[in-house]
mmCIF file of all heavy atoms in Angstrom:
data_model
loop_
_atom_site.group_PDB
_atom_site.id
_atom_site.type_symbol
_atom_site.label_atom_id
_atom_site.label_comp_id
_atom_site.label_asym_id
_atom_site.label_seq_id
_atom_site.Cartn_x
_atom_site.Cartn_y
_atom_site.Cartn_z
ATOM 1 N N MET A 53 7.638 1.621 10.322
ATOM 2 C CA MET A 53 7.221 0.862 9.151
ATOM 3 C C MET A 53 8.007 -0.448 9.124
ATOM 4 O O MET A 53 9.226 -0.447 9.223
ATOM 5 C CB MET A 53 7.487 1.690 7.898
ATOM 6 C CG MET A 53 7.104 0.975 6.641
ATOM 7 S SD MET A 53 6.899 2.039 5.236
ATOM 8 C CE MET A 53 8.547 2.133 4.619
ATOM 9 N N THR A 54 7.283 -1.535 8.981
ATOM 10 C CA THR A 54 7.906 -2.845 8.967
ATOM 11 C C THR A 54 7.857 -3.425 7.558
ATOM 12 O O THR A 54 6.803 -3.451 6.928
ATOM 13 C CB THR A 54 7.178 -3.811 9.932
ATOM 14 O OG1 THR A 54 7.182 -3.222 11.224
ATOM 15 C CG2 THR A 54 7.853 -5.145 9.973
ATOM 16 N N ILE A 55 8.991 -3.895 7.082
ATOM 17 C CA ILE A 55 9.079 -4.553 5.779
ATOM 18 C C ILE A 55 9.474 -6.005 6.014
ATOM 19 O O ILE A 55 10.440 -6.292 6.718
ATOM 20 C CB ILE A 55 10.132 -3.871 4.876
ATOM 21 C CG1 ILE A 55 9.758 -2.419 4.602
ATOM 22 C CG2 ILE A 55 10.313 -4.633 3.571
ATOM 23 C CD1 ILE A 55 8.587 -2.217 3.701
ATOM 24 N N LEU A 56 8.702 -6.913 5.460
ATOM 25 C CA LEU A 56 8.989 -8.347 5.548
ATOM 26 C C LEU A 56 9.624 -8.763 4.224
ATOM 27 O O LEU A 56 8.953 -8.779 3.186
ATOM 28 C CB LEU A 56 7.703 -9.125 5.822
ATOM 29 C CG LEU A 56 6.910 -8.652 7.045
ATOM 30 C CD1 LEU A 56 5.541 -9.296 7.077
ATOM 31 C CD2 LEU A 56 7.682 -8.969 8.298
ATOM 32 N N LEU A 57 10.905 -9.064 4.239
ATOM 33 C CA LEU A 57 11.637 -9.373 3.011
ATOM 34 C C LEU A 57 11.254 -10.740 2.459
ATOM 35 O O LEU A 57 11.189 -11.729 3.183
ATOM 36 C CB LEU A 57 13.140 -9.311 3.272
ATOM 37 C CG LEU A 57 13.675 -7.968 3.771
ATOM 38 C CD1 LEU A 57 15.149 -8.083 4.099
ATOM 39 C CD2 LEU A 57 13.427 -6.881 2.745
ATOM 40 N N ARG A 58 11.007 -10.774 1.156
ATOM 41 C CA ARG A 58 10.672 -11.998 0.417
ATOM 42 C C ARG A 58 9.546 -12.800 1.070
ATOM 43 O O ARG A 58 9.587 -14.023 1.138
ATOM 44 C CB ARG A 58 11.908 -12.871 0.260
ATOM 45 C CG ARG A 58 12.994 -12.205 -0.544
ATOM 46 C CD ARG A 58 14.144 -13.126 -0.741
ATOM 47 N NE ARG A 58 15.170 -12.475 -1.558
ATOM 48 C CZ ARG A 58 16.246 -13.087 -1.958
ATOM 49 N NH1 ARG A 58 16.465 -14.331 -1.629
ATOM 50 N NH2 ARG A 58 17.110 -12.443 -2.691
ATOM 51 N N ALA A 59 8.495 -12.132 1.549
ATOM 52 C CA ALA A 59 7.411 -12.799 2.264
ATOM 53 C C ALA A 59 6.143 -12.979 1.436
ATOM 54 O O ALA A 59 5.216 -13.647 1.875
ATOM 55 C CB ALA A 59 7.083 -12.014 3.530
ATOM 56 N N CYS A 60 6.090 -12.416 0.243
ATOM 57 C CA CYS A 60 4.875 -12.518 -0.572
ATOM 58 C C CYS A 60 4.717 -13.939 -1.121
ATOM 59 O O CYS A 60 5.610 -14.440 -1.814
ATOM 60 C CB CYS A 60 4.917 -11.522 -1.718
ATOM 61 S SG CYS A 60 3.443 -11.585 -2.772
ATOM 62 N N PRO A 61 3.570 -14.579 -0.847
ATOM 63 C CA PRO A 61 3.364 -15.935 -1.377
ATOM 64 C C PRO A 61 3.079 -15.952 -2.876
ATOM 65 O O PRO A 61 3.213 -16.981 -3.523
ATOM 66 C CB PRO A 61 2.159 -16.437 -0.591
ATOM 67 C CG PRO A 61 1.429 -15.212 -0.177
ATOM 68 C CD PRO A 61 2.469 -14.150 0.009
ATOM 69 N N LYS A 62 2.707 -14.813 -3.445
ATOM 70 C CA LYS A 62 2.365 -14.745 -4.875
ATOM 71 C C LYS A 62 3.601 -14.549 -5.754
ATOM 72 O O LYS A 62 3.796 -15.287 -6.719
ATOM 73 C CB LYS A 62 1.360 -13.614 -5.098
ATOM 74 C CG LYS A 62 0.842 -13.514 -6.500
ATOM 75 C CD LYS A 62 -0.229 -12.446 -6.598
ATOM 76 C CE LYS A 62 -0.710 -12.311 -8.027
ATOM 77 N NZ LYS A 62 -1.697 -11.235 -8.150
ATOM 78 N N CYS A 63 4.434 -13.538 -5.412
ATOM 79 C CA CYS A 63 5.568 -13.228 -6.284
ATOM 80 C C CYS A 63 6.929 -13.339 -5.602
ATOM 81 O O CYS A 63 7.955 -13.211 -6.252
ATOM 82 C CB CYS A 63 5.416 -11.821 -6.850
ATOM 83 S SG CYS A 63 5.716 -10.502 -5.657
ATOM 84 N N GLY A 64 6.922 -13.557 -4.291
ATOM 85 C CA GLY A 64 8.180 -13.646 -3.562
ATOM 86 C C GLY A 64 8.789 -12.296 -3.239
ATOM 87 O O GLY A 64 9.947 -12.204 -2.845
ATOM 88 N N GLY A 65 8.001 -11.239 -3.373
ATOM 89 C CA GLY A 65 8.492 -9.892 -3.108
ATOM 90 C C GLY A 65 8.429 -9.521 -1.630
ATOM 91 O O GLY A 65 8.101 -10.335 -0.765
ATOM 92 N N ASP A 66 8.736 -8.261 -1.353
ATOM 93 C CA ASP A 66 8.742 -7.746 0.011
ATOM 94 C C ASP A 66 7.347 -7.266 0.399
ATOM 95 O O ASP A 66 6.655 -6.638 -0.399
ATOM 96 C CB ASP A 66 9.723 -6.577 0.124
ATOM 97 C CG ASP A 66 11.126 -6.969 -0.296
ATOM 98 O OD1 ASP A 66 11.451 -8.166 -0.187
ATOM 99 O OD2 ASP A 66 11.887 -6.087 -0.733
ATOM 100 N N MET A 67 6.951 -7.541 1.646
ATOM 101 C CA MET A 67 5.634 -7.134 2.126
ATOM 102 C C MET A 67 5.774 -6.042 3.175
ATOM 103 O O MET A 67 6.680 -6.057 3.988
ATOM 104 C CB MET A 67 4.863 -8.331 2.672
ATOM 105 C CG MET A 67 4.615 -9.371 1.601
ATOM 106 S SD MET A 67 3.346 -10.557 1.962
ATOM 107 C CE MET A 67 1.878 -9.612 1.753
ATOM 108 N N HIS A 68 4.842 -5.105 3.119
ATOM 109 C CA HIS A 68 4.790 -3.976 4.030
ATOM 110 C C HIS A 68 3.666 -4.231 5.027
ATOM 111 O O HIS A 68 2.533 -4.483 4.635
ATOM 112 C CB HIS A 68 4.509 -2.711 3.204
ATOM 113 C CG HIS A 68 4.176 -1.512 4.012
ATOM 114 N ND1 HIS A 68 2.914 -1.013 4.108
ATOM 115 C CD2 HIS A 68 4.963 -0.715 4.769
ATOM 116 C CE1 HIS A 68 2.924 0.055 4.893
ATOM 117 N NE2 HIS A 68 4.154 0.248 5.298
ATOM 118 N N ALA A 69 3.979 -4.198 6.342
ATOM 119 C CA ALA A 69 2.973 -4.381 7.380
ATOM 120 C C ALA A 69 2.286 -3.049 7.644
ATOM 121 O O ALA A 69 2.940 -2.031 7.852
ATOM 122 C CB ALA A 69 3.614 -4.921 8.644
ATOM 123 N N ALA A 70 0.946 -3.036 7.617
ATOM 124 C CA ALA A 70 0.174 -1.814 7.834
ATOM 125 C C ALA A 70 -1.147 -2.157 8.509
ATOM 126 O O ALA A 70 -1.456 -3.328 8.736
ATOM 127 C CB ALA A 70 -0.062 -1.117 6.503
ATOM 128 N N ALA A 71 -1.927 -1.139 8.817
ATOM 129 C CA ALA A 71 -3.248 -1.331 9.412
ATOM 130 C C ALA A 71 -4.169 -0.210 8.941
ATOM 131 O O ALA A 71 -3.720 0.893 8.623
ATOM 132 C CB ALA A 71 -3.156 -1.340 10.927
ATOM 133 N N ASP A 72 -5.473 -0.518 8.888
ATOM 134 C CA ASP A 72 -6.475 0.485 8.563
ATOM 135 C C ASP A 72 -7.655 0.290 9.508
ATOM 136 O O ASP A 72 -7.526 -0.397 10.521
ATOM 137 C CB ASP A 72 -6.891 0.411 7.093
ATOM 138 C CG ASP A 72 -7.443 -0.940 6.685
ATOM 139 O OD1 ASP A 72 -7.688 -1.785 7.575
ATOM 140 O OD2 ASP A 72 -7.632 -1.166 5.482
ATOM 141 N N THR A 73 -8.808 0.857 9.187
ATOM 142 C CA THR A 73 -9.956 0.756 10.080
ATOM 143 C C THR A 73 -10.481 -0.675 10.201
ATOM 144 O O THR A 73 -11.179 -0.982 11.156
ATOM 145 C CB THR A 73 -11.106 1.665 9.603
ATOM 146 O OG1 THR A 73 -11.448 1.314 8.274
ATOM 147 C CG2 THR A 73 -10.707 3.120 9.665
ATOM 148 N N TYR A 74 -10.138 -1.538 9.264
ATOM 149 C CA TYR A 74 -10.592 -2.926 9.306
ATOM 150 C C TYR A 74 -9.614 -3.848 10.017
ATOM 151 O O TYR A 74 -9.916 -5.006 10.237
ATOM 152 C CB TYR A 74 -10.850 -3.436 7.886
ATOM 153 C CG TYR A 74 -11.923 -2.649 7.181
ATOM 154 C CD1 TYR A 74 -11.598 -1.752 6.180
ATOM 155 C CD2 TYR A 74 -13.255 -2.788 7.543
ATOM 156 C CE1 TYR A 74 -12.573 -1.013 5.547
ATOM 157 C CE2 TYR A 74 -14.240 -2.054 6.912
ATOM 158 C CZ TYR A 74 -13.897 -1.168 5.916
ATOM 159 O OH TYR A 74 -14.873 -0.432 5.309
ATOM 160 N N GLY A 75 -8.433 -3.371 10.348
ATOM 161 C CA GLY A 75 -7.453 -4.168 11.068
ATOM 162 C C GLY A 75 -6.121 -4.240 10.353
ATOM 163 O O GLY A 75 -5.917 -3.620 9.299
ATOM 164 N N PRO A 76 -5.197 -5.033 10.907
ATOM 165 C CA PRO A 76 -3.860 -5.129 10.325
ATOM 166 C C PRO A 76 -3.835 -5.990 9.053
ATOM 167 O O PRO A 76 -4.654 -6.888 8.880
ATOM 168 C CB PRO A 76 -3.035 -5.772 11.432
ATOM 169 C CG PRO A 76 -4.017 -6.554 12.220
ATOM 170 C CD PRO A 76 -5.309 -5.788 12.157
ATOM 171 N N TYR A 77 -2.875 -5.690 8.182
ATOM 172 C CA TYR A 77 -2.702 -6.462 6.953
ATOM 173 C C TYR A 77 -1.268 -6.326 6.468
ATOM 174 O O TYR A 77 -0.540 -5.438 6.897
ATOM 175 C CB TYR A 77 -3.675 -5.997 5.863
ATOM 176 C CG TYR A 77 -3.478 -4.566 5.426
ATOM 177 C CD1 TYR A 77 -2.657 -4.264 4.348
ATOM 178 C CD2 TYR A 77 -4.110 -3.524 6.077
ATOM 179 C CE1 TYR A 77 -2.466 -2.957 3.938
ATOM 180 C CE2 TYR A 77 -3.929 -2.218 5.680
ATOM 181 C CZ TYR A 77 -3.109 -1.935 4.607
ATOM 182 O OH TYR A 77 -2.920 -0.636 4.210
ATOM 183 N N ASN A 78 -0.875 -7.218 5.580
ATOM 184 C CA ASN A 78 0.417 -7.137 4.891
ATOM 185 C C ASN A 78 0.124 -6.929 3.415
ATOM 186 O O ASN A 78 -0.761 -7.570 2.850
ATOM 187 C CB ASN A 78 1.230 -8.417 5.067
ATOM 188 C CG ASN A 78 1.734 -8.581 6.480
ATOM 189 O OD1 ASN A 78 1.853 -7.625 7.226
ATOM 190 N ND2 ASN A 78 2.032 -9.810 6.855
ATOM 191 N N LYS A 79 0.888 -6.024 2.778
ATOM 192 C CA LYS A 79 0.699 -5.753 1.360
ATOM 193 C C LYS A 79 2.034 -5.822 0.654
ATOM 194 O O LYS A 79 3.027 -5.264 1.112
ATOM 195 C CB LYS A 79 0.079 -4.371 1.154
ATOM 196 C CG LYS A 79 -0.249 -4.081 -0.286
ATOM 197 C CD LYS A 79 -1.064 -2.832 -0.417
ATOM 198 C CE LYS A 79 -1.454 -2.651 -1.872
ATOM 199 N NZ LYS A 79 -2.347 -1.522 -2.039
ATOM 200 N N CYS A 80 2.068 -6.528 -0.477
ATOM 201 C CA CYS A 80 3.292 -6.679 -1.251
ATOM 202 C C CYS A 80 3.623 -5.374 -1.971
ATOM 203 O O CYS A 80 2.765 -4.758 -2.598
ATOM 204 C CB CYS A 80 3.139 -7.807 -2.264
ATOM 205 S SG CYS A 80 4.634 -8.064 -3.263
ATOM 206 N N VAL A 81 4.872 -4.957 -1.862
ATOM 207 C CA VAL A 81 5.335 -3.728 -2.494
ATOM 208 C C VAL A 81 5.426 -3.907 -4.008
ATOM 209 O O VAL A 81 5.132 -2.988 -4.775
ATOM 210 C CB VAL A 81 6.705 -3.307 -1.912
ATOM 211 C CG1 VAL A 81 7.242 -2.078 -2.597
ATOM 212 C CG2 VAL A 81 6.606 -3.085 -0.419
ATOM 213 N N GLN A 82 5.777 -5.106 -4.474
ATOM 214 C CA GLN A 82 5.981 -5.339 -5.903
ATOM 215 C C GLN A 82 4.673 -5.611 -6.662
ATOM 216 O O GLN A 82 4.404 -4.964 -7.663
ATOM 217 C CB GLN A 82 6.946 -6.518 -6.125
ATOM 218 C CG GLN A 82 8.400 -6.151 -5.950
ATOM 219 C CD GLN A 82 8.837 -6.133 -4.485
ATOM 220 O OE1 GLN A 82 8.124 -6.562 -3.597
ATOM 221 N NE2 GLN A 82 10.022 -5.618 -4.245
ATOM 222 N N CYS A 83 3.851 -6.559 -6.191
ATOM 223 C CA CYS A 83 2.671 -6.961 -6.975
ATOM 224 C C CYS A 83 1.341 -6.470 -6.405
ATOM 225 O O CYS A 83 0.313 -6.570 -7.068
ATOM 226 C CB CYS A 83 2.631 -8.478 -7.136
ATOM 227 S SG CYS A 83 2.182 -9.393 -5.641
ATOM 228 N N GLY A 84 1.323 -5.985 -5.151
ATOM 229 C CA GLY A 84 0.091 -5.471 -4.572
ATOM 230 C C GLY A 84 -0.757 -6.498 -3.854
ATOM 231 O O GLY A 84 -1.852 -6.175 -3.388
ATOM 232 N N TYR A 85 -0.300 -7.742 -3.769
ATOM 233 C CA TYR A 85 -1.046 -8.780 -3.048
ATOM 234 C C TYR A 85 -1.276 -8.330 -1.609
ATOM 235 O O TYR A 85 -0.370 -7.821 -0.949
ATOM 236 C CB TYR A 85 -0.267 -10.093 -3.072
ATOM 237 C CG TYR A 85 -0.857 -11.182 -2.212
ATOM 238 C CD1 TYR A 85 -1.927 -11.948 -2.657
ATOM 239 C CD2 TYR A 85 -0.341 -11.455 -0.951
ATOM 240 C CE1 TYR A 85 -2.469 -12.951 -1.873
ATOM 241 C CE2 TYR A 85 -0.869 -12.454 -0.156
ATOM 242 C CZ TYR A 85 -1.937 -13.195 -0.626
ATOM 243 O OH TYR A 85 -2.468 -14.183 0.162
ATOM 244 N N THR A 86 -2.504 -8.478 -1.091
ATOM 245 C CA THR A 86 -2.844 -8.074 0.265
ATOM 246 C C THR A 86 -3.314 -9.287 1.053
ATOM 247 O O THR A 86 -4.112 -10.092 0.564
ATOM 248 C CB THR A 86 -3.957 -7.009 0.246
ATOM 249 O OG1 THR A 86 -3.502 -5.907 -0.530
ATOM 250 C CG2 THR A 86 -4.285 -6.533 1.644
ATOM 251 N N HIS A 87 -2.829 -9.393 2.282
ATOM 252 C CA HIS A 87 -3.178 -10.503 3.172
ATOM 253 C C HIS A 87 -3.637 -9.909 4.501
ATOM 254 O O HIS A 87 -2.868 -9.243 5.186
ATOM 255 C CB HIS A 87 -1.959 -11.406 3.379
ATOM 256 C CG HIS A 87 -2.154 -12.458 4.418
ATOM 257 N ND1 HIS A 87 -2.983 -13.528 4.232
ATOM 258 C CD2 HIS A 87 -1.638 -12.590 5.658
ATOM 259 C CE1 HIS A 87 -2.955 -14.283 5.324
ATOM 260 N NE2 HIS A 87 -2.157 -13.728 6.196
ATOM 261 N N ASP A 88 -4.925 -10.123 4.850
ATOM 262 C CA ASP A 88 -5.451 -9.650 6.125
ATOM 263 C C ASP A 88 -4.920 -10.521 7.253
ATOM 264 O O ASP A 88 -4.808 -11.742 7.114
ATOM 265 C CB ASP A 88 -6.977 -9.697 6.136
ATOM 266 C CG ASP A 88 -7.583 -8.655 5.213
ATOM 267 O OD1 ASP A 88 -6.971 -7.590 5.063
ATOM 268 O OD2 ASP A 88 -8.658 -8.925 4.653
ATOM 269 N N LEU A 89 -4.607 -9.899 8.385
ATOM 270 C CA LEU A 89 -4.099 -10.608 9.542
ATOM 271 C C LEU A 89 -5.200 -10.757 10.589
ATOM 272 O O LEU A 89 -6.087 -9.900 10.676
ATOM 273 C CB LEU A 89 -2.909 -9.853 10.145
ATOM 274 C CG LEU A 89 -1.725 -9.668 9.199
ATOM 275 C CD1 LEU A 89 -0.690 -8.754 9.841
ATOM 276 C CD2 LEU A 89 -1.118 -11.002 8.850
ATOM 277 N N PRO A 90 -5.176 -11.829 11.382
ATOM 278 C CA PRO A 90 -6.185 -11.980 12.431
ATOM 279 C C PRO A 90 -6.075 -10.830 13.429
ATOM 280 O O PRO A 90 -4.980 -10.374 13.752
ATOM 281 C CB PRO A 90 -5.848 -13.320 13.078
ATOM 282 C CG PRO A 90 -4.501 -13.686 12.601
ATOM 283 C CD PRO A 90 -4.210 -12.912 11.372
ATOM 284 N N THR A 91 -7.232 -10.366 13.922
ATOM 285 C CA THR A 91 -7.229 -9.207 14.801
ATOM 286 C C THR A 91 -7.466 -9.537 16.262
ATOM 287 O O THR A 91 -6.918 -8.892 17.132
ATOM 288 C CB THR A 91 -8.288 -8.192 14.355
ATOM 289 O OG1 THR A 91 -9.555 -8.845 14.308
ATOM 290 C CG2 THR A 91 -7.952 -7.624 13.000
ATOM 291 N N PHE A 92 -8.304 -10.502 16.548
ATOM 292 C CA PHE A 92 -8.649 -10.798 17.936
ATOM 293 C C PHE A 92 -8.521 -12.291 18.206
ATOM 294 O O PHE A 92 -8.834 -13.105 17.339
ATOM 295 C CB PHE A 92 -10.091 -10.383 18.231
ATOM 296 C CG PHE A 92 -10.324 -8.914 18.033
ATOM 297 C CD1 PHE A 92 -11.014 -8.448 16.937
ATOM 298 C CD2 PHE A 92 -9.841 -7.994 18.948
ATOM 299 C CE1 PHE A 92 -11.238 -7.097 16.751
ATOM 300 C CE2 PHE A 92 -10.054 -6.643 18.778
ATOM 301 C CZ PHE A 92 -10.753 -6.196 17.678
ATOM 302 N N PRO A 93 -8.127 -12.654 19.405
ATOM 303 C CA PRO A 93 -8.135 -14.072 19.759
ATOM 304 C C PRO A 93 -9.585 -14.543 19.920
ATOM 305 O O PRO A 93 -10.492 -13.717 20.043
ATOM 306 C CB PRO A 93 -7.391 -14.112 21.096
ATOM 307 C CG PRO A 93 -7.572 -12.750 21.659
ATOM 308 C CD PRO A 93 -7.638 -11.818 20.471
ATOM 309 N N PRO A 94 -9.832 -15.845 19.905
ATOM 310 C CA PRO A 94 -11.194 -16.339 20.101
ATOM 311 C C PRO A 94 -11.772 -15.838 21.421
ATOM 312 O O PRO A 94 -11.056 -15.688 22.411
ATOM 313 C CB PRO A 94 -11.030 -17.860 20.133
ATOM 314 C CG PRO A 94 -9.733 -18.109 19.467
ATOM 315 C CD PRO A 94 -8.884 -16.905 19.699
ATOM 316 N N ILE A 95 -13.061 -15.553 21.414
ATOM 317 C CA ILE A 95 -13.728 -15.026 22.607
ATOM 318 C C ILE A 95 -14.134 -16.176 23.513
ATOM 319 O O ILE A 95 -14.774 -17.129 23.082
ATOM 320 C CB ILE A 95 -14.964 -14.209 22.205
ATOM 321 C CG1 ILE A 95 -14.545 -13.027 21.343
ATOM 322 C CG2 ILE A 95 -15.724 -13.740 23.423
ATOM 323 C CD1 ILE A 95 -15.694 -12.272 20.739
ATOM 324 N N ALA A 96 -13.760 -16.097 24.764
ATOM 325 C CA ALA A 96 -14.159 -17.099 25.754
ATOM 326 C C ALA A 96 -15.521 -16.695 26.320
ATOM 327 O O ALA A 96 -15.757 -15.527 26.629
ATOM 328 C CB ALA A 96 -13.131 -17.183 26.868
ATOM 329 N N LEU A 97 -16.417 -17.642 26.422
ATOM 330 C CA LEU A 97 -17.738 -17.364 26.961
ATOM 331 C C LEU A 97 -17.691 -17.302 28.479
ATOM 332 O O LEU A 97 -16.936 -18.025 29.126
ATOM 333 C CB LEU A 97 -18.723 -18.450 26.536
ATOM 334 C CG LEU A 97 -19.040 -18.532 25.049
ATOM 335 C CD1 LEU A 97 -19.950 -19.723 24.780
ATOM 336 C CD2 LEU A 97 -19.715 -17.253 24.576
ATOM 337 N N ALA A 98 -18.516 -16.442 29.029
ATOM 338 C CA ALA A 98 -18.653 -16.363 30.479
ATOM 339 C C ALA A 98 -19.294 -17.653 30.978
ATOM 340 O O ALA A 98 -20.061 -18.298 30.255
ATOM 341 C CB ALA A 98 -19.508 -15.163 30.855
ATOM 342 N N PRO A 99 -19.007 -18.065 32.206
ATOM 343 C CA PRO A 99 -19.593 -19.314 32.732
ATOM 344 C C PRO A 99 -21.115 -19.334 32.659
ATOM 345 O O PRO A 99 -21.716 -20.375 32.398
ATOM 346 C CB PRO A 99 -19.114 -19.345 34.179
ATOM 347 C CG PRO A 99 -17.876 -18.528 34.200
ATOM 348 C CD PRO A 99 -18.079 -17.464 33.149
ATOM 349 N N GLU A 100 -21.763 -18.171 32.859
ATOM 350 C CA GLU A 100 -23.233 -18.134 32.786
ATOM 351 C C GLU A 100 -23.712 -18.454 31.370
ATOM 352 O O GLU A 100 -24.708 -19.142 31.182
ATOM 353 C CB GLU A 100 -23.757 -16.750 33.194
ATOM 354 C CG GLU A 100 -23.373 -16.319 34.585
ATOM 355 C CD GLU A 100 -21.988 -15.708 34.669
ATOM 356 O OE1 GLU A 100 -21.488 -15.150 33.667
ATOM 357 O OE2 GLU A 100 -21.383 -15.817 35.745
ATOM 358 N N ALA A 101 -23.005 -17.963 30.358
ATOM 359 C CA ALA A 101 -23.385 -18.213 28.971
ATOM 360 C C ALA A 101 -23.202 -19.682 28.617
ATOM 361 O O ALA A 101 -24.030 -20.269 27.913
ATOM 362 C CB ALA A 101 -22.581 -17.334 28.031
ATOM 363 N N VAL A 102 -22.122 -20.292 29.101
ATOM 364 C CA VAL A 102 -21.888 -21.713 28.840
ATOM 365 C C VAL A 102 -23.007 -22.536 29.451
ATOM 366 O O VAL A 102 -23.530 -23.470 28.834
ATOM 367 C CB VAL A 102 -20.517 -22.157 29.414
ATOM 368 C CG1 VAL A 102 -20.348 -23.657 29.308
ATOM 369 C CG2 VAL A 102 -19.400 -21.434 28.687
ATOM 370 N N GLU A 103 -23.430 -22.181 30.654
ATOM 371 C CA GLU A 103 -24.507 -22.908 31.329
ATOM 372 C C GLU A 103 -25.819 -22.759 30.570
ATOM 373 O O GLU A 103 -26.551 -23.722 30.381
ATOM 374 C CB GLU A 103 -24.656 -22.360 32.750
ATOM 375 C CG GLU A 103 -25.627 -23.159 33.601
ATOM 376 C CD GLU A 103 -25.664 -22.631 35.021
ATOM 377 O OE1 GLU A 103 -24.589 -22.364 35.583
ATOM 378 O OE2 GLU A 103 -26.782 -22.493 35.553
ATOM 379 N N GLN A 104 -26.112 -21.557 30.076
ATOM 380 C CA GLN A 104 -27.345 -21.338 29.317
ATOM 381 C C GLN A 104 -27.326 -22.133 28.014
ATOM 382 O O GLN A 104 -28.329 -22.732 27.633
ATOM 383 C CB GLN A 104 -27.523 -19.858 29.007
ATOM 384 C CG GLN A 104 -27.908 -19.035 30.204
ATOM 385 C CD GLN A 104 -27.985 -17.550 29.864
ATOM 386 O OE1 GLN A 104 -27.574 -17.126 28.781
ATOM 387 N NE2 GLN A 104 -28.470 -16.768 30.810
ATOM 388 N N LEU A 105 -26.198 -22.147 27.328
ATOM 389 C CA LEU A 105 -26.115 -22.893 26.068
ATOM 390 C C LEU A 105 -26.182 -24.393 26.305
ATOM 391 O O LEU A 105 -26.701 -25.126 25.466
ATOM 392 C CB LEU A 105 -24.806 -22.534 25.346
ATOM 393 C CG LEU A 105 -24.745 -21.137 24.760
ATOM 394 C CD1 LEU A 105 -23.352 -20.856 24.217
ATOM 395 C CD2 LEU A 105 -25.778 -20.945 23.673
ATOM 396 N N ALA A 106 -25.676 -24.880 27.424
ATOM 397 C CA ALA A 106 -25.690 -26.309 27.722
ATOM 398 C C ALA A 106 -27.105 -26.824 27.934
ATOM 399 O O ALA A 106 -27.392 -27.991 27.664
ATOM 400 C CB ALA A 106 -24.841 -26.596 28.950
ATOM 401 N N ASN A 107 -28.009 -25.972 28.383
ATOM 402 C CA ASN A 107 -29.380 -26.391 28.655
ATOM 403 C C ASN A 107 -30.303 -26.271 27.453
ATOM 404 O O ASN A 107 -31.470 -26.641 27.531
ATOM 405 C CB ASN A 107 -29.950 -25.557 29.816
ATOM 406 C CG ASN A 107 -29.228 -25.833 31.109
ATOM 407 O OD1 ASN A 107 -28.725 -26.941 31.325
ATOM 408 N ND2 ASN A 107 -29.134 -24.853 31.971
ATOM 409 N N ARG A 108 -29.801 -25.794 26.325
ATOM 410 C CA ARG A 108 -30.624 -25.653 25.128
ATOM 411 C C ARG A 108 -30.579 -26.943 24.314
ATOM 412 O O ARG A 108 -29.566 -27.605 24.236
ATOM 413 C CB ARG A 108 -30.112 -24.509 24.261
ATOM 414 C CG ARG A 108 -30.186 -23.169 24.960
ATOM 415 C CD ARG A 108 -29.543 -22.127 24.135
ATOM 416 N NE ARG A 108 -30.587 -21.485 23.335
ATOM 417 C CZ ARG A 108 -30.342 -20.579 22.405
ATOM 418 N NH1 ARG A 108 -29.098 -20.240 22.131
ATOM 419 N NH2 ARG A 108 -31.318 -20.037 21.747
ATOM 420 N N PRO A 109 -31.692 -27.286 23.661
ATOM 421 C CA PRO A 109 -31.673 -28.471 22.797
ATOM 422 C C PRO A 109 -30.805 -28.221 21.561
ATOM 423 O O PRO A 109 -30.728 -27.116 21.044
ATOM 424 C CB PRO A 109 -33.122 -28.665 22.416
ATOM 425 C CG PRO A 109 -33.781 -27.346 22.641
ATOM 426 C CD PRO A 109 -32.994 -26.655 23.731
ATOM 427 N N VAL A 110 -30.153 -29.257 21.087
ATOM 428 C CA VAL A 110 -29.297 -29.164 19.917
ATOM 429 C C VAL A 110 -30.164 -29.285 18.661
ATOM 430 O O VAL A 110 -30.915 -30.242 18.527
ATOM 431 C CB VAL A 110 -28.233 -30.278 19.932
ATOM 432 C CG1 VAL A 110 -27.388 -30.226 18.676
ATOM 433 C CG2 VAL A 110 -27.384 -30.180 21.183
ATOM 434 N N PRO A 111 -30.102 -28.313 17.730
ATOM 435 C CA PRO A 111 -30.900 -28.416 16.508
ATOM 436 C C PRO A 111 -30.394 -29.554 15.620
ATOM 437 O O PRO A 111 -29.210 -29.818 15.544
ATOM 438 C CB PRO A 111 -30.703 -27.050 15.824
ATOM 439 C CG PRO A 111 -29.477 -26.492 16.428
ATOM 440 C CD PRO A 111 -29.315 -27.098 17.787
ATOM 441 N N LYS A 112 -31.344 -30.213 14.966
ATOM 442 C CA LYS A 112 -30.978 -31.315 14.083
ATOM 443 C C LYS A 112 -30.595 -30.781 12.714
ATOM 444 O O LYS A 112 -31.176 -29.825 12.211
ATOM 445 C CB LYS A 112 -32.174 -32.281 13.939
ATOM 446 C CG LYS A 112 -32.494 -32.989 15.225
ATOM 447 C CD LYS A 112 -33.635 -33.959 15.035
ATOM 448 C CE LYS A 112 -33.940 -34.647 16.345
ATOM 449 N NZ LYS A 112 -35.043 -35.604 16.228
ATOM 450 N N ALA A 113 -29.603 -31.398 12.109
ATOM 451 C CA ALA A 113 -29.150 -31.003 10.773
ATOM 452 C C ALA A 113 -30.186 -31.416 9.738
ATOM 453 O O ALA A 113 -30.799 -32.471 9.827
ATOM 454 C CB ALA A 113 -27.806 -31.641 10.450
ATOM 455 N N ALA A 114 -30.382 -30.566 8.751
ATOM 456 C CA ALA A 114 -31.380 -30.834 7.699
ATOM 457 C C ALA A 114 -30.849 -31.777 6.669
ATOM 458 O O ALA A 114 -29.749 -31.978 6.411
ATOM 459 C CB ALA A 114 -31.804 -29.534 7.046
#
C-alpha cells in the first residue's frame, strides 16, 4: 500500500494509491477526492495503417 503524503490538491491531505477494474487511481484519505491515473501510453500505428490513412482525403470542418 502506497501513501502519498500531503498530495491531495483539494485539501492537502494524504492520498492512497490503488487500482480497480478501470485502472489505477489516487484517493484522498481525509476528504475522499479521487484522481484517475493514465493507464496506457499512446498507441503507435503500424506502418501499414499510417500509409492507409495518408491516402484518405481529409474531411472538411463544418
